[in-house]
Amino acid sequence: MSTLSIEQIKESFPVLQQQVHGKDLVYMDNAATTQKPQVVLDCLNNFYCKDYATVHRGAYLLSEKATSLFEAVRGKVAQFINAQKEKEIIYVKGTTEAINLVANSWGRKNLKEGDEVLISAMEHHANIVPWQMVCEDVGAVLKVIPMDDKGELIMEEFYALLSERTKFVSVVHVSNALGTINPVKEICQAAKSVGAVSLVDGAQSTAHMKVDVQDMGCDFFAFSSHKIYGPSGAGALYGRYELLKAMPPWQGGGDMIYTVSFEKTEYADPPARFEAGTPAITEIIGMGAAIDYLSSLGMDFVAEKEDELLRYGTAALKEIEGLRLIGEASKKAGVLSFVLDKAHPHDIATIVDGEGVSIRAGHHCAQPVMTRFNIPATARASLAIYNTKKDIDALVRALRIVNDIF
Amino acid sequence: MAYSNELYQQVILDHNRKPRNFRKIEEPTHVCPGHNPLCGDHITVYIHTEGDVVSDVSFEGSGCAISKASASMMTESVKGKTLAEVKKMFEEFHGMLMGELDVDQDQHKLGKLSLFQGVKQYSSRVKCAALSWHALVGALDLKTEISTE
């Protein structure tokens, strides 16, 4: 458990040590992407300066070093999310690619006409569209677990939707638009009880809480490096090995084969089977450094500090005239999505940016969530481990300026 | 002074609060919905022409202050103008947003629409100001060489 203060943590993120529009930068678009600590930047620089080469081709020392650094990240990921085996970790570009991989590989092999895939009403488009595409092609049916006005899944409806026709359940761990922490362990257990396979989209949870895929009981789990303080263009898919072993490749190319002739190709075992082509070598190694960084802080520490800040921020925002929070689940991670009576989210974001505060405005790639709450968009401040109470205070001051202008 | 004051000027805020010609024309000769999928703004422009003159123009929809004020001020500016004048005005307005027309230096007939010149500094907001204009020229099917993409 870390003994660092949040101010000390903030100091290790170079990008945060600047002013924008003449004001100290307050960065609160962390659900979109997170900033990088010096240790991650150093890792990328060191690797490019000292060890860069291709991987898995090593007839020479440099490639052997690069391969060993690259492969070592698999173990770090496995340990970080408590996977049983390293070979259950597949390197991907990010969560979106991970879900597309599962939908295309597992989905196209196993889904048949009349089968049902269950997702939730608060999915990011990345956990809607890949399933729609596959369902449309194979004649399967996509069903949606509804949510209530607080932004919590209605579990009775989930159980009512679940049947022997349900073949796959794919749900988001933490909603990017609402902050809701979903009861994924219960959902995965229930899926298993009807023989369905489950995926948990961990894009918004992995940087903010302890993830244990074995305890969760999911069959697949996906996250992106750039949302856990690592580089963009990298991520990981966890899959239970017996499922991965039975899945066909979804992209063909180098590195994913055992032998190739023009008559027949034998595919490599997982994870290589799903890693065609030269991977994002440096970015994956950087993802390893980000995991080391988070592990050094301790995920219990991270979760506790962010929860404290979320409570502080929730109380502070509620004081602002005409502000309505969107998403008030009893279990929430650091997302403050809101609308103001007088100002449109885009106007809010532009004006608070002028005060140095970076927040998001829009539908957050979750248009069905906006439709559910009957709003076109929200303004969203999303928190990370480097955000302080002073940052929240700056947001509150900026929002008062918005109200003054309108 | 807030950084964004140049964008949120009183006239623009006033048109946002009290949009002019914010109604439907019952029997329009032209109508076109404008949609910005990025932010979910919807603006529908209704037009009635007599000969080649815009005799009435109105809009409905929802959006941010910039898109609403821009639509409101556009309706006031193009009413009574010929189609050729409307086309020219659109090109000047678009040129201003793109930074190709300097309203202080170059000749133009934008009048108070030049208040939107501040938008060009906010690249993410240019589409907000341009939305209703694209719906207008779309409705009139005026061929222009300008695209938002």
Side-chain angles (χ1 to χ4, degrees):
Chain A
M1 175 86 68
S2 176
T3 53
L4 293 173
S5 70
I6 301 301
E7 284 74 15
Q8 286 170 315
I9 289 172
K10 193 169 192 171
E11 280 169 16
S12 46
F13 289 76
V15 80
L16 299 175
Q17 316 306 313
Q18 65 175 307
Q19 293 199 323
V20 293
H21 308 304
K23 307 278 166 63
D24 288 342
L25 171 64
V26 171
Y27 181 81
M28 290 202 278
D29 193 15
N30 297 293
T33 197
T34 53
Q35 302 297 347
K36 318 307 170 199
Q38 190 65 52
V39 285
V40 169
L41 302 174
D42 288 345
C43 164
L44 301 175
N45 197 44
N46 285 338
F47 179 64
Y48 271 131
C49 291
K50 294 180 192 161
D51 302 317
Y52 183 77
T54 195
V55 290
H56 306 149
R57 301 281 181 281
Y60 51 92
L61 181 65
L62 213 54
S63 175
E64 282 171 15
K65 278 168 74 179
T67 303
S68 106
L69 288 166
F70 177 82
E71 283 302 321
V73 177
R74 234 181 268 282
K76 290 181 188 191
V77 173
Q79 197 178 13
F80 190 58
I81 62 172
N82 196 31
Q84 212 178 7
K85 308 175 182 87
E86 271 181 37
K87 59 187 180 179
E88 294 180 315
I89 305 300
I90 297 161
Y91 294 146
V92 288
K93 284 194 296 188
T95 310
T96 297
E97 189 182 56
I99 297 171
N100 275 278
L101 188 163
V102 176
N104 281 285
S105 172
W106 189 94
R108 285 181 197 280
K109 181 172 183 203
N110 295 290
L111 291 173
K112 306 277 179 303
E113 195 173 345
D115 286 349
E116 291 176 1
V117 174
L118 212 49
I119 60 172
S120 88
M122 64 179 86
E123 299 307 323
H124 186 280
H125 296 166
N127 199 24
I128 302 173
V129 184
W131 296 111
Q132 273 173 334
M133 291 162 73
V134 171
C135 284
E136 193 176 2
D137 284 356
V138 305
V141 183
L142 190 63
K143 297 220 160 172
V144 182
I145 311 161
M147 63 174 152
D148 63 19
D149 291 340
K150 284 164 69 186
E152 292 182 352
L153 293 182
I154 304 170
M155 293 303 281
E156 303 82 67
E157 302 266 4
F158 164 62
Y159 285 108
L161 284 167
L162 203 62
S163 74
E164 73 281 358
R165 290 186 303 279
T166 313
K167 292 296 183 293
F168 203 96
V169 179
S170 195
V171 289
V172 70
H173 195 178
V174 170
S175 159
N176 72 314
L178 304 168
T180 310
I181 303 174
N182 284 316
V184 286
K185 183 173 179 176
E186 181 182 347
I187 291 171
C188 293
Q189 268 175 358
K192 191 170 287 172
S193 73
V194 296
V197 173
S198 60
L199 180 148
V200 173
D201 168 352
Q204 298 297 338
S205 59
T206 309
H208 307 289
M209 61 193 64
K210 177 99 194 97
V211 169
D212 182 334
V213 292
Q214 292 188 67
D215 178 64
M216 199 184 286
C218 58
D219 294 306
F220 297 99
F221 184 90
F223 71 90
S224 301
S225 159
H226 74 99
K227 291 190 206 273
I228 66 160
Y229 313 106
S232 57
L237 170 68
Y238 156 81
R240 272 203 305 117
Y241 197 75
E242 63 175 277
L243 287 171
L244 293 176
K245 184 91 177 144
M247 280 159 56
W250 80 303
Q251 289 176 338
D255 238 10
M256 50 75 73
I257 47 82
Y258 184 59
T259 61
V260 176
S261 71
F262 286 112
E263 289 71 38
K264 185 175 165 50
T265 292
E266 277 186 62
Y267 303 123
D269 284 338
R273 184 186 298 171
F274 302 103
E275 295 178 357
T278 299
I281 303 166
T282 313
E283 288 74 11
I284 295 217
I285 290 171
M287 172 166 78
I291 288 173
D292 288 343
Y293 175 73
L294 273 172
S295 303
S296 75
L297 294 176
M299 291 314 293
D300 291 335
F301 170 83
V302 168
E304 188 190 311
K305 289 291 173 190
E306 289 185 10
D307 189 53
E308 197 182 311
L309 192 66
L310 177 68
R311 286 168 199 277
Y312 181 80
T314 303
L317 288 194
K318 280 183 170 172
E319 295 292 311
I320 292 173
E321 189 195 332
L323 185 144
R324 179 159 65 100
L325 282 170
I326 305 296
E328 295 193 90
S330 55
K331 286 188 180 161
K332 246 186 97 168
V335 173
L336 292 160
S337 219
F338 59 92
V339 291
L340 284 178
D341 281 350
K342 288 197 277 186
H344 187 279
H346 265 206
D347 299 315
I348 299 171
T350 296
I351 294 167
V352 304
D353 176 50
E355 303 306 311
V357 182
S358 306
I359 62 167
R360 177 77 169 267
H363 52 60
H364 319 297
C365 296
Q367 283 180 351
V369 175
M370 302 296 113
T371 307
R372 168 65 179 76
F373 287 94
N374 199 25
I375 45 177
T378 73
R380 180 190 69 187
S382 49
L383 310 178
I385 189 58
Y386 40 66
N387 286 123
T388 61
K389 289 182 178 172
K390 270 173 69 182
D391 291 351
I392 298 285
D393 297 343
L395 172 67
V396 167
R397 273 198 307 278
L399 290 173
R400 294 201 197 283
I401 291 173
V402 176
N403 269 344
D404 288 345
I405 289 177
F406 284 86
Chain B
M1 180 170 142
Y3 159 79
S4 42
N5 278 12
E6 198 186 342
L7 189 59
Y8 294 98
Q9 301 196 36
Q10 281 310 320
V11 177
I12 290 176
L13 292 170
D14 179 64
H15 277 267
N16 172 52
R17 268 190 292 266
K18 292 176 292 185
R20 322 297 198 264
N21 300 306
F22 189 72
R23 60 188 158 84
K24 192 174 172 178
I25 292 175
E26 282 310 325
E27 288 181 4
T29 51
H30 305 80
V31 60
C32 185
H35 178 217
N36 184 346
L38 204 66
C39 54
D41 286 3
H42 283 272
I43 299 257
T44 299
V45 173
Y46 303 90
I47 304 158
H48 199 278
T49 55
E50 285 173 17
D52 73 338
V53 173
V54 175
S55 56
D56 195 11
V57 54
S58 70
F59 79 104
E60 279 187 325
S62 71
C64 65
I66 302 301
S67 67
K68 253 164 80 185
S70 177
S72 171
M73 290 168 72
M74 174 190 79
T75 60
E76 286 193 322
S77 299
V78 302
K79 206 165 176 175
K81 299 281 193 301
T82 66
L83 297 184
E85 287 169 328
V86 169
K87 181 179 170 183
K88 181 89 174 89
M89 202 176 274
F90 169 72
E91 285 168 355
E92 287 181 353
F93 189 75
H94 198 273
M96 175 183 71
L97 295 181
M98 293 289 117
E100 292 152 6
L101 179 132
D102 184 335
V103 291
D104 299 323
Q105 305 281 333
D106 304 330
Q107 285 230 321
H108 64 86
K109 291 185 175 172
L110 286 171
K112 64 181 176 185
L113 293 177
S114 60
L115 282 174
F116 286 97
Q117 65 173 313
V119 176
K120 67 169 181 265
Q121 291 171 38
Y122 304 81
S123 55
S124 66
R125 308 303 302 276
V126 166
K127 284 187 179 179
C128 308
L131 178 62
S132 57
W133 282 92
H134 282 289
L136 178 85
V137 298
L140 294 171
D141 197 25
L142 294 174
K143 297 286 179 244
T144 68
E145 290 174 5
I146 286 158
S147 159
T148 51
E149 300 307 322

